[in-house]
Coordinates of all heavy atoms in Angstrom, one line a residue:
M1 N -32.4 65.2 30.0 CA -32.4 64.5 28.7 C -31.9 65.5 27.6 O -32.5 66.6 27.6 CB -33.7 63.9 28.4 CG -33.8 63.1 27.1 SD -35.4 62.6 26.5 CE -35.4 61.0 27.1
G2 N -31.1 65.0 26.8 CA -30.6 65.9 25.7 C -31.6 66.0 24.5 O -32.6 65.3 24.5
P3 N -31.2 66.7 23.5 CA -32.0 66.8 22.2 C -32.1 65.5 21.5 O -31.2 64.6 21.6 CB -31.4 67.9 21.4 CG -30.0 67.8 21.8 CD -30.0 67.5 23.3
V4 N -33.2 65.3 20.7 CA -33.4 64.1 19.9 C -33.3 64.5 18.5 O -33.8 65.6 18.1 CB -34.8 63.5 20.2 CG1 -35.1 62.4 19.2 CG2 -34.9 63.0 21.6
H5 N -32.5 63.8 17.7 CA -32.3 64.1 16.3 C -32.8 63.0 15.4 O -32.3 61.9 15.6 CB -30.8 64.4 16.0 CG -30.2 65.5 16.8 ND1 -30.3 66.8 16.4 CD2 -29.5 65.5 18.0 CE1 -29.7 67.5 17.3 NE2 -29.2 66.8 18.3
V6 N -33.7 63.3 14.5 CA -34.2 62.2 13.6 C -33.3 62.3 12.4 O -33.2 63.4 11.7 CB -35.7 62.5 13.2 CG1 -36.1 61.5 12.2 CG2 -36.6 62.5 14.4
I7 N -32.7 61.2 12.1 CA -31.7 61.2 11.0 C -32.2 60.5 9.7 O -31.7 60.7 8.7 CB -30.3 60.6 11.4 CG1 -30.6 59.2 11.9 CG2 -29.7 61.5 12.4 CD1 -29.2 58.5 12.1
S8 N -33.3 59.7 9.9 CA -33.9 59.0 8.8 C -35.2 58.5 9.1 O -35.6 58.5 10.3 CB -32.9 57.8 8.4 OG -33.4 57.2 7.3
C9 N -36.0 58.1 8.1 CA -37.2 57.5 8.3 C -37.4 56.5 7.2 O -36.9 56.6 6.1 CB -38.4 58.5 8.4 SG -38.8 59.3 6.9
G10 N -38.3 55.5 7.4 CA -38.6 54.5 6.4 C -40.0 54.1 6.5 O -40.6 54.2 7.6
A11 N -40.6 53.7 5.4 CA -42.0 53.1 5.4 C -42.2 52.2 4.2 O -41.6 52.5 3.2 CB -42.9 54.3 5.4
V12 N -42.9 51.2 4.4 CA -43.4 50.4 3.3 C -44.9 50.3 3.5 O -45.3 49.7 4.6 CB -42.7 49.0 3.4 CG1 -43.3 48.0 2.3 CG2 -41.2 49.1 3.2
T13 N -45.7 50.7 2.6 CA -47.1 50.7 2.7 C -47.7 50.2 1.4 O -47.0 50.1 0.4 CB -47.6 52.1 2.9 OG1 -47.4 52.9 1.8 CG2 -46.9 52.8 4.1
P14 N -49.0 49.9 1.4 CA -49.6 49.4 0.1 C -49.6 50.5 -1.0 O -49.8 50.2 -2.1 CB -51.1 49.1 0.6 CG -51.0 48.9 2.0 CD -49.9 49.8 2.5
V15 N -49.3 51.8 -0.6 CA -49.3 52.8 -1.7 C -47.9 53.3 -2.0 O -47.8 54.2 -2.8 CB -50.2 54.0 -1.3 CG1 -51.6 53.6 -1.3 CG2 -49.8 54.6 0.0
G16 N -46.9 52.7 -1.5 CA -45.5 53.1 -1.8 C -44.5 52.3 -1.0 O -44.8 51.8 0.1
M17 N -43.4 52.1 -1.7 CA -42.3 51.4 -1.0 C -41.3 52.2 -0.3 O -40.3 51.7 0.3 CB -41.6 50.5 -2.1 CG -42.6 49.6 -2.7 SD -42.0 48.0 -3.4 CE -40.7 47.4 -2.3
L18 N -41.5 53.5 -0.3 CA -40.6 54.5 0.4 C -41.5 55.4 1.2 O -42.7 55.7 0.9 CB -39.8 55.3 -0.5 CG -38.9 54.5 -1.5 CD1 -38.3 55.4 -2.6 CD2 -37.8 53.8 -0.7
A19 N -41.0 56.0 2.2 CA -41.7 57.0 3.0 C -42.2 58.2 2.2 O -43.4 58.6 2.3 CB -40.9 57.5 4.2
A20 N -41.4 58.7 1.3 CA -41.8 59.9 0.5 C -42.9 59.5 -0.4 O -43.8 60.3 -0.6 CB -40.5 60.4 -0.2
T21 N -42.8 58.4 -1.1 CA -43.9 58.1 -2.1 C -45.2 57.7 -1.4 O -46.2 58.0 -1.9 CB -43.4 56.9 -3.0 OG1 -43.0 55.8 -2.2 CG2 -42.3 57.3 -3.9
S22 N -45.0 57.1 -0.2 CA -46.2 56.8 0.5 C -46.9 58.0 1.0 O -48.2 58.2 0.9 CB -45.9 55.9 1.8 OG -45.4 54.7 1.4
A23 N -46.2 59.0 1.5 CA -46.8 60.2 1.9 C -47.4 61.0 0.8 O -48.5 61.5 0.9 CB -45.7 61.1 2.7
A24 N -46.7 61.0 -0.4 CA -47.3 61.7 -1.5 C -48.6 61.1 -2.0 O -49.6 61.7 -2.3 CB -46.3 61.8 -2.7
S25 N -48.6 59.8 -2.0 CA -49.9 59.0 -2.4 C -51.0 59.3 -1.4 O -52.1 59.6 -1.9 CB -49.6 57.5 -2.4 OG -48.6 57.2 -3.4
L26 N -50.7 59.3 -0.2 CA -51.8 59.6 0.8 C -52.3 61.0 0.7 O -53.5 61.3 0.8 CB -51.3 59.3 2.2 CG -51.0 57.8 2.4 CD1 -50.4 57.6 3.8 CD2 -52.4 57.0 2.4
R27 N -51.4 61.9 0.5 CA -51.8 63.4 0.3 C -52.6 63.5 -0.9 O -53.5 64.3 -0.9 CB -50.6 64.3 0.3 CG -50.0 64.6 1.6 CD -49.0 65.8 1.5 NE -47.9 65.5 0.5 CZ -46.8 65.0 0.8 NH1 -46.5 64.6 2.0 NH2 -45.9 64.8 -0.1
A28 N -52.4 62.7 -1.9 CA -53.2 62.8 -3.2 C -54.5 62.0 -3.0 O -55.3 62.1 -4.0 CB -52.4 62.2 -4.3
G29 N -54.7 61.4 -2.0 CA -56.0 60.6 -1.7 C -56.0 59.3 -2.3 O -57.1 58.7 -2.5
I30 N -54.8 58.7 -2.6 CA -54.8 57.4 -3.2 C -54.9 56.3 -2.1 O -54.2 56.4 -1.1 CB -53.5 57.2 -4.0 CG1 -53.5 58.1 -5.2 CG2 -53.3 55.7 -4.4 CD1 -52.1 58.2 -5.9
S31 N -55.7 55.4 -2.2 CA -55.9 54.3 -1.2 C -55.9 53.0 -2.0 O -56.5 52.9 -3.1 CB -57.2 54.5 -0.5 OG -57.4 53.4 0.3
R32 N -55.3 52.0 -1.4 CA -55.3 50.7 -2.1 C -56.0 49.7 -1.2 O -55.6 48.5 -1.1 CB -53.8 50.3 -2.4 CG -53.2 51.2 -3.4 CD -52.1 50.5 -4.2 NE -52.5 49.2 -4.7 CZ -51.5 48.3 -4.9 NH1 -50.2 48.5 -4.6 NH2 -51.8 47.1 -5.3
L33 N -57.0 50.1 -0.5 CA -57.8 49.1 0.3 C -58.5 48.2 -0.6 O -59.1 48.6 -1.6 CB -58.8 49.9 1.2 CG -58.2 50.8 2.3 CD1 -59.3 51.5 3.1 CD2 -57.3 50.0 3.2
Q34 N -58.5 46.9 -0.3 CA -59.1 46.0 -1.1 C -59.6 44.8 -0.2 O -59.1 44.6 0.9 CB -58.3 45.5 -2.2 CG -57.0 44.9 -1.8 CD -56.0 44.7 -2.9 OE1 -56.4 44.9 -4.1 NE2 -54.8 44.3 -2.6
E35 N -60.5 44.0 -0.7 CA -60.9 42.8 0.0 C -59.9 41.7 -0.2 O -59.3 41.6 -1.2 CB -62.3 42.3 -0.6 CG -63.4 43.3 -0.3 CD -64.7 42.8 -0.9 OE1 -64.7 41.8 -1.7 OE2 -65.8 43.4 -0.6
H36 N -59.7 41.0 0.9 CA -58.8 39.8 0.9 C -59.4 38.7 0.1 O -60.6 38.5 0.0 CB -58.5 39.4 2.3 CG -57.3 38.5 2.3 ND1 -57.3 37.1 2.1 CD2 -56.0 38.8 2.6 CE1 -56.1 36.6 2.2 NE2 -55.3 37.6 2.5
D37 N -58.6 37.9 -0.6 CA -59.0 36.9 -1.5 C -59.8 35.8 -0.8 O -60.8 35.3 -1.3 CB -57.8 36.2 -2.3 CG -57.2 37.2 -3.2 OD1 -57.9 38.1 -3.7 OD2 -56.0 36.9 -3.6
F38 N -59.4 35.4 0.4 CA -60.0 34.3 1.1 C -60.3 34.5 2.6 O -61.0 33.7 3.2 CB -59.2 33.0 0.9 CG -57.8 33.0 1.4 CD1 -57.5 32.7 2.7 CD2 -56.8 33.4 0.5 CE1 -56.2 32.8 3.1 CE2 -55.5 33.4 0.9 CZ -55.2 33.1 2.3
M39 N -59.7 35.5 3.2 CA -59.9 35.7 4.6 C -61.2 36.4 4.9 O -61.5 37.4 4.3 CB -58.7 36.5 5.2 CG -57.5 35.7 5.3 SD -56.1 36.7 5.9 CE -56.7 37.4 7.4
V40 N -62.1 35.8 5.7 CA -63.4 36.3 6.0 C -63.6 36.4 7.5 O -63.0 35.7 8.3 CB -64.6 35.5 5.4 CG1 -64.5 35.6 3.9 CG2 -64.5 34.1 5.9
D41 N -64.4 37.4 8.0 CA -64.7 37.5 9.4 C -65.8 36.5 9.8 O -66.3 35.7 9.0 CB -65.1 38.9 9.8 CG -66.3 39.4 9.1 OD1 -67.1 38.6 8.5 OD2 -66.5 40.6 9.1
R42 N -66.3 36.5 11.0 CA -67.3 35.6 11.5 C -68.6 35.8 10.8 O -69.4 34.8 10.8 CB -67.5 35.7 13.0 CG -66.3 35.3 13.8 CD -66.5 35.5 15.3 NE -65.2 35.2 15.9 CZ -65.1 34.7 17.1 NH1 -66.2 34.5 17.8 NH2 -64.0 34.4 17.6
A43 N -68.9 36.9 10.3 CA -70.2 37.1 9.6 C -70.1 36.7 8.1 O -71.0 36.8 7.3 CB -70.6 38.6 9.7
G44 N -68.9 36.2 7.7 CA -68.7 35.8 6.3 C -68.3 36.9 5.4 O -68.2 36.7 4.2
E45 N -68.0 38.1 5.9 CA -67.6 39.2 5.1 C -66.1 39.2 4.9 O -65.3 38.9 5.9 CB -68.0 40.5 5.7 CG -69.5 40.7 5.9 CD -70.2 40.8 4.5 OE1 -69.6 41.5 3.6 OE2 -71.3 40.2 4.4
P46 N -65.6 39.5 3.7 CA -64.1 39.5 3.5 C -63.4 40.6 4.3 O -64.0 41.7 4.5 CB -64.0 39.7 2.0 CG -65.3 40.2 1.5 CD -66.3 39.8 2.5
Y47 N -62.2 40.3 4.8 CA -61.4 41.4 5.4 C -61.0 42.4 4.4 O -60.8 42.1 3.2 CB -60.2 40.8 6.0 CG -60.4 40.1 7.3 CD1 -60.1 38.7 7.4 CD2 -60.8 40.7 8.4 CE1 -60.3 38.0 8.6 CE2 -60.9 40.1 9.7 CZ -60.7 38.7 9.7 OH -60.8 38.1 10.9
V48 N -61.1 43.7 4.8 CA -60.7 44.8 3.9 C -59.4 45.4 4.5 O -59.4 45.6 5.7 CB -61.8 45.8 3.8 CG1 -61.3 47.0 3.0 CG2 -63.0 45.3 3.1
G49 N -58.4 45.5 3.8 CA -57.2 46.1 4.2 C -56.2 46.6 3.2 O -56.6 46.5 2.0
G50 N -55.1 47.1 3.6 CA -54.1 47.5 2.6 C -53.0 46.4 2.6 O -52.2 46.3 3.5
W51 N -53.0 45.6 1.5 CA -52.1 44.5 1.4 C -50.9 44.9 0.6 O -51.0 45.7 -0.3 CB -52.8 43.3 0.8 CG -54.2 43.1 1.3 CD1 -55.3 43.2 0.6 CD2 -54.6 42.7 2.6 NE1 -56.4 43.0 1.4 CE2 -56.0 42.6 2.7 CE3 -53.9 42.4 3.8 CZ2 -56.7 42.3 3.8 CZ3 -54.6 42.1 4.9 CH2 -56.0 42.0 4.9
C52 N -49.8 44.3 1.0 CA -48.5 44.5 0.2 C -48.2 43.2 -0.6 O -47.5 42.3 -0.1 CB -47.4 44.9 1.1 SG -47.6 46.4 2.0
P53 N -48.7 43.1 -1.8 CA -48.6 41.8 -2.5 C -47.1 41.5 -2.9 O -46.8 40.3 -3.2 CB -49.5 42.0 -3.7 CG -49.6 43.4 -3.9 CD -49.5 44.1 -2.6
W54 N -46.2 42.4 -2.9 CA -44.9 42.2 -3.3 C -44.1 41.5 -2.2 O -43.0 41.0 -2.4 CB -44.2 43.4 -3.7 CG -44.2 44.5 -2.7 CD1 -43.4 44.7 -1.6 CD2 -45.1 45.6 -2.6 NE1 -43.8 45.8 -0.9 CE2 -44.9 46.4 -1.5 CE3 -46.2 46.0 -3.4 CZ2 -45.6 47.5 -1.1 CZ3 -47.0 47.1 -3.0 CH2 -46.6 47.8 -1.9
V55 N -44.6 41.4 -0.9 CA -43.9 40.7 0.1 C -44.4 39.2 0.0 O -45.5 38.9 0.1 CB -44.4 41.2 1.5 CG1 -43.8 40.4 2.6 CG2 -44.0 42.7 1.6
E56 N -43.4 38.4 -0.2 CA -43.7 37.0 -0.5 C -43.4 36.1 0.7 O -42.8 35.0 0.6 CB -42.8 36.5 -1.7 CG -43.3 37.2 -3.0 CD -42.5 36.7 -4.2 OE1 -41.8 35.6 -4.1 OE2 -42.6 37.4 -5.2
A57 N -43.6 36.5 1.9 CA -43.4 35.8 3.1 C -44.7 35.0 3.4 O -45.8 35.5 3.2 CB -43.1 36.7 4.3
T58 N -44.6 33.9 4.0 CA -45.7 33.1 4.3 C -46.3 33.2 5.8 O -47.5 33.2 6.0 CB -45.4 31.6 4.0 OG1 -44.3 31.2 4.8 CG2 -45.2 31.3 2.5
G59 N -45.4 33.3 6.7 CA -45.8 33.4 8.1 C -45.9 34.8 8.6 O -45.4 35.7 8.0
R60 N -46.5 35.0 9.7 CA -46.6 36.3 10.3 C -45.3 37.0 10.6 O -45.1 38.1 10.2 CB -47.5 36.3 11.6 CG -48.9 35.9 11.4 CD -49.6 35.9 12.7 NE -50.9 35.3 12.5 CZ -51.7 35.0 13.5 NH1 -51.3 35.2 14.8 NH2 -52.9 34.5 13.3
V61 N -44.4 36.2 11.3 CA -43.1 36.8 11.7 C -42.3 37.1 10.5 O -41.7 38.1 10.4 CB -42.4 35.8 12.7 CG1 -41.0 36.3 13.0 CG2 -43.2 35.7 14.0
E62 N -42.3 36.2 9.5 CA -41.5 36.4 8.3 C -42.0 37.6 7.6 O -41.2 38.4 7.0 CB -41.6 35.1 7.4 CG -40.9 33.9 8.0 CD -41.8 33.1 8.9 OE1 -43.0 33.4 9.1 OE2 -41.3 32.2 9.6
R63 N -43.3 37.8 7.5 CA -43.8 38.9 6.8 C -43.5 40.2 7.5 O -43.1 41.2 6.8 CB -45.4 38.8 6.7 CG -46.1 39.9 5.9 CD -47.5 39.5 5.7 NE -48.2 40.6 5.0 CZ -48.1 40.8 3.7 NH1 -47.4 40.0 2.9 NH2 -48.8 41.8 3.1
L64 N -43.6 40.3 8.8 CA -43.2 41.5 9.6 C -41.7 41.8 9.4 O -41.3 42.9 9.2 CB -43.5 41.3 11.0 CG -45.0 41.4 11.4 CD1 -45.2 41.1 12.9 CD2 -45.6 42.8 11.0
L65 N -40.9 40.7 9.4 CA -39.5 41.0 9.2 C -39.1 41.5 7.8 O -38.3 42.4 7.6 CB -38.7 39.7 9.5 CG -38.6 39.3 10.9 CD1 -38.0 37.9 11.1 CD2 -37.8 40.3 11.8
A66 N -39.9 40.9 6.8 CA -39.6 41.4 5.4 C -40.0 42.9 5.2 O -39.3 43.7 4.6 CB -40.5 40.5 4.4
L67 N -41.2 43.2 5.9 CA -41.6 44.7 5.8 C -40.6 45.6 6.5 O -40.3 46.7 6.1 CB -43.0 44.8 6.4 CG -44.1 44.2 5.5 CD1 -45.4 44.1 6.3 CD2 -44.3 45.0 4.3
A68 N -40.1 45.1 7.7 CA -39.2 45.9 8.5 C -37.9 46.1 7.7 O -37.3 47.2 7.8 CB -39.0 45.3 9.9
R69 N -37.4 45.0 7.1 CA -36.1 45.1 6.4 C -36.2 46.1 5.3 O -35.3 46.9 5.0 CB -35.7 43.7 5.9 CG -35.0 42.9 6.9 CD -34.3 41.7 6.2 NE -35.3 40.8 5.7 CZ -35.9 39.8 6.4 NH1 -35.5 39.6 7.6 NH2 -36.7 39.0 5.8
S70 N -37.3 46.1 4.5 CA -37.4 46.9 3.3 C -37.6 48.4 3.8 O -37.3 49.3 3.0 CB -38.5 46.5 2.4 OG -39.7 46.4 3.1
A71 N -38.2 48.6 4.9 CA -38.4 50.0 5.4 C -37.1 50.6 5.8 O -36.9 51.8 5.7 CB -39.4 50.0 6.6

């Protein structure tokens, strides 16, 4: 197998819309974890996660595609 060359990277995260800004935010200790508005687990506790509110997709597949396209 020959050498592998990384020519680019991309990321869309709750703390940044680019890989560089996401990495800088995480290094600075910035976290955007928050409780979901209406999703709860079986114990009635709200899900906690890093949400990307700027993605306006409704279904799971559409949301994943929107995140992948922007990354």
Side-chain angles (χ1 to χ4, degrees):
M1 180 190 264
V4 175
H5 302 277
V6 176
I7 58 171
S8 183
C9 70
V12 175
T13 69
V15 293
M17 298 207 37
L18 303 171
T21 55
S22 295
S25 298
L26 293 173
R27 280 193 303 269
I30 296 171
S31 171
R32 294 204 47 207
L33 294 178
Q34 57 189 356
E35 294 181 349
H36 196 274
D37 293 337
F38 59 87
M39 290 176 52
V40 295
D41 62 16
R42 291 181 187 208
E45 296 295 322
Y47 283 116
V48 176
W51 316 113
C52 295
W54 53 84
V55 177
E56 296 183 13
T58 55
R60 292 179 189 172
V61 173
E62 292 83 9
R63 184 171 179 77
L64 287 173
L65 289 173
L67 289 167
R69 275 193 294 274
S70 57

